[in-house]
Amino acid sequence: MKRRHALIICHDFPPVGGIAVQRPLKFAKYLGEFGWKVTVLTADHVYSATPDPSLLDEIPEDVQIVRVTDPVSKQLARWSGRIVGDGSTSTPQASAQARRPLWKRLAWGAWKWAQEHALIPDESVVWAIRAGFAARRIVRQRVIDCIYTTSGPQSTQLAGLIASAFTRTPWIADFRDPWTDNLHFHHRGWRAALERHLERTVFARASAIVTVTDGFWRLFAAKYPHRALDIHVIRNGVDEADFPPAPARRRNEEEPFTFFYGGILYPGRSADALFQAVHRLLQSGHIAPNRIRIQFAGVLDYPGHHHHARLIRELGLEAVMEPLGYLPRREALARMLAADATLLIGDQSEQAKDYVPGKLYEYLYAGRPILAMLREGEAADLIRREQAGIIVPPDDPDAIAQAMLHLMAQPATERRTWNPAYSRRAQAQQLARLMDDALAVQTESTAWSSMSWDV
C-alpha cells in the first residue's frame, strides 16, 4: 500500500531546543513506523534561548525539512539582549534599557507597539502567513494527504488555516496550550475579540482538534460543544531512546543530596519560595551547605533579567546552587537520572490547574522522587496516581522546606516502573490513527460529492 504523506507545520524545530520542540520532533521521528511519510515545514532564522543542534541527529533521513524565514525573529536576533524562545519576548530591565542608544530605545518602543497592535496573535504571524502559502505549494507538489499544525506560537494555526483553505486537505490542529484562555493571555477590547474570532475559525475549519490534557479537552469541549466529538487528547510524553543508562542508586553519604530542575523560570513560574526554603534550612542548621545541591539546567534568568541570580546572592546560596545554563538534551537527561530528586515548579496562576508541564513525563521516566511545587490540578493528580513524589504549594517556603527534609531522609531507591502509555512512539501511533480517520472522512465526503453530481 502506498505510504501516505503528512505535512507537519511548527515554528520551533531543531536546531532549536527545549521541551516544546519535542512533540513535533518525535512525531516526525515515529510517524513513519505507522505508514506516514513526513515533511516538516518550520521557521528559519529563529533566535532561541535554547539552541540544541544535537537534536538534528534524531531526524530520520527520509524526513524532509522545509524552512521559511521568520523575518521578525531574524530582526530580533540582531538586537542585543533580545530573546525569542517560547513565543514570548522578555523585557529588558529599565536600567539596561536606559543605557541603550536612542535609536535602539525608539526601535524598542516601536516593537512594543507592533506587538500590541500589528503582530496578532503573536510575533510569529508574519512567518505563519508565509508558511501558509509555502504549505499550499508543498501540498500540491508533494501530494500531501494530511496537514498537522502544533502551537504555540498560536499563529502557527493560521498557516494550517491558509493551507487547508486553498487545498481542501484534511487538517489536524494541535493545541499544546489554550489560545484565548491561556493563563498568559491578557488582551482586551478589539484585540481580544479578533483573537477569539481567529480561534473560532480554526475550531470551525480544522478536521480535528488535538490537545494535551484532560483539562484542556473539557475547556475546548465546553466552549465548542458542536466539535466535542472532534477534540482528542494526545498527551505529551517521553522517548525512552533519549535517555542514557540510569546509574546505580548507591548514594555516598559523604556526597550532597542533589535536587535537579530542568526548564525555564519567569515571573509567573518563580523559584523564590524554593530559594527561601533552602535559606531557612541552612539558617536553622537543619542542613549543612555541603549536604545539599540544587542544580538548574535551563534558563534561570533571561538575558537582561537578574532576579533569581540576585536572590541567590542576597540569601547567601552560592555554595548550594549550581546554575548549569541550557545543556544539550542528553546531558540534561543524564543529570536528571543521576539526581537524588527532581524539582517541578508550576505557575502560580489559578488557571495552572489544567496544565501538565512536558518535563513532568521526563521526570516520571527518570524515576527519581519528585518535589512538585504546584497548584492542585491535573499535574498534581498525575504525580499522586503514579506515586511519584510530594506535592506542595508553589508559594509556601515552609512546606517546601519540610518536603525537602523528608526526601533527604529517605534511603536511595531504584527507579520506579515506567508507564508505557506515555511513550512518544505510542503517541505517534495515536496521531497516525487520527490522520487515517481524517483522510477516510475526506475520501468518503469526496465520493458522496461525486455521486451527487452524477445524479
Side-chain angles (χ1 to χ4, degrees):
M1 185 177 70
K2 179 183 176 182
R3 291 179 80 194
R4 290 140 294 175
H5 198 162
L7 176 64
I8 293 177
I9 305 178
C10 57
H11 183 271
D12 294 344
F13 198 74
V16 173
I19 195 68
V21 307
Q22 291 301 311
R23 189 170 176 87
L25 172 61
K26 299 308 181 181
F27 284 149
K29 179 179 179 179
Y30 288 118
L31 277 172
E33 297 183 13
F34 305 103
W36 283 88
K37 180 181 178 181
V38 173
T39 293
V40 176
L41 175 60
T42 187
D44 204 0
H45 299 101
V46 174
Y47 186 42
S48 172
T50 55
D52 192 348
S54 69
L55 295 178
L56 291 169
D57 296 336
E58 291 194 41
I59 303 172
E61 291 183 359
D62 65 344
V63 171
Q64 296 177 305
I65 311 295
V66 179
R67 298 187 185 273
V68 173
T69 296
D70 183 339
V72 176
S73 184
K74 185 178 180 179
Q75 181 59 44
L76 287 172
R78 296 172 178 167
W79 291 5
S80 174
R82 300 300 302 139
I83 200 157
V84 176
D86 61 348
S88 63
T89 307
S90 63
T91 306
Q93 290 185 330
S95 59
Q97 191 170 352
R99 291 192 297 269
R100 290 172 179 261
L102 176 61
W103 73 268
K104 283 193 176 183
R105 279 182 276 156
L106 292 174
W108 173 252
W111 163 248
K112 296 302 291 183
W113 183 92
Q115 273 190 308
E116 185 63 30
H117 298 95
L119 299 176
I120 301 170
D122 48 60
E123 57 261 34
S124 300
V125 66
V126 177
W127 168 83
I129 294 171
R130 292 164 59 103
F133 286 99
R136 180 183 64 168
R137 293 192 299 272
I138 293 170
V139 167
R140 291 173 174 169
Q141 292 170 0
R142 306 190 184 190
V143 193
I144 298 296
D145 297 295
C146 188
I147 299 168
Y148 163 85
T149 55
T150 181
S151 58
Q154 303 298 352
S155 57
T156 306
Q157 305 299 352
L158 302 185
L161 185 64
I162 292 169
S164 66
F166 279 104
T167 65
R168 304 299 180 187
T169 304
W171 165 38
I172 296 173
D174 179 20
F175 289 84
R176 302 193 305 271
D177 294 303
W179 186 337
T180 59
D181 298 287
N182 193 297
L183 58 84
H184 302 296
F185 185 88
H186 304 298
H187 302 296
R188 297 181 179 180
W190 69 269
R191 166 74 184 264
L194 176 56
E195 293 206 42
R196 291 191 184 99
H197 172 74
L198 291 173
E199 179 186 290
R200 286 194 300 271
T201 303
V202 170
F203 272 78
R205 300 290 179 82
S207 306
I209 307 294
V210 171
T211 192
V212 296
T213 74
D214 294 332
F216 294 165
W217 183 92
R218 289 191 292 270
L219 170 67
F220 292 149
K223 198 171 183 180
Y224 304 102
H226 60 291
R227 297 303 313 269
L229 294 178
D230 300 315
I231 303 172
H232 308 267
V233 175
I234 301 179
R235 305 183 194 283
N236 283 312
V238 165
D239 184 355
E240 299 93 322
D242 289 349
F243 283 78
R249 303 309 298 158
R250 298 188 186 90
R251 190 170 71 242
N252 187 335
E253 293 301 327
E254 299 301 317
E255 296 177 350
F257 189 101
T258 301
F259 291 90
F260 175 88
Y261 177 83
I264 295 174
L265 296 175
Y266 47 82
R269 183 187 296 166
S270 167
D272 289 20
L274 171 66
F275 292 174
Q276 292 287 349
V278 175
H279 175 69
R280 294 179 189 184
L281 290 173
L282 295 174
Q283 288 293 103
S284 65
H286 283 96
I287 299 176
N290 65 339
R291 303 297 300 143
I292 185 172
R293 289 292 181 275
I294 313 292
Q295 295 183 339
F296 280 89
V299 180
L300 184 66
D301 284 305
Y302 276 118
H305 290 251
H306 310 283
H307 172 76
H308 288 109
R310 183 173 60 248
L311 188 58
I312 289 172
R313 291 194 302 271
E314 290 175 353
L315 297 177
L317 303 179
E318 294 95 331
V320 302
M321 296 291 177
E322 293 185 32
L324 304 171
Y326 185 80
L327 301 176
R329 180 165 173 75
R330 194 164 178 86
E331 182 179 346
L333 296 178
R335 286 183 176 268
M336 187 186 300
L337 288 169
D340 297 297
T342 51
L343 298 170
L344 185 66
I345 303 175
D347 286 83
Q348 305 261 351
S349 169
E350 178 64 26
Q351 292 171 279
K353 67 181 185 302
D354 291 333
Y355 287 70
V356 178
K359 70 174 69 66
L360 174 53
Y361 296 98
E362 296 179 347
Y363 285 179
L364 291 173
Y365 183 82
R368 306 300 176 230
I370 301 170
L371 172 50
M373 292 155 271
L374 298 172
R375 297 292 180 199
E376 288 296 330
E378 193 163 338
D381 291 342
L382 175 58
I383 293 171
R384 290 194 182 97
R385 187 164 62 250
E386 299 292 331
Q387 299 181 343
I390 302 173
I391 297 97
V392 295
D395 55 356
D396 188 341
D398 289 333
I400 296 170
Q402 290 301 313
M404 296 181 87
L405 286 175
H406 176 79
L407 290 174
M408 293 177 70
Q410 302 303 306
T413 58
E414 296 300 323
R415 293 175 62 230
R416 293 182 307 276
T417 302
W418 165 245
N419 186 340
Y422 305 133
S423 164
R424 291 287 191 185
R425 181 180 277 104
Q427 290 153 356
Q429 185 176 25
Q430 287 181 268
L431 179 59
R433 289 171 178 166
L434 190 57
M435 291 194 298
D436 289 340
D437 291 343
L439 184 57
V441 169
Q442 178 85 348
T443 302
E444 183 178 346
S445 175
T446 302
W448 274 105
S449 177
S450 299
M451 291 175 61
S452 297
W453 281 107
D454 291 340
V455 172

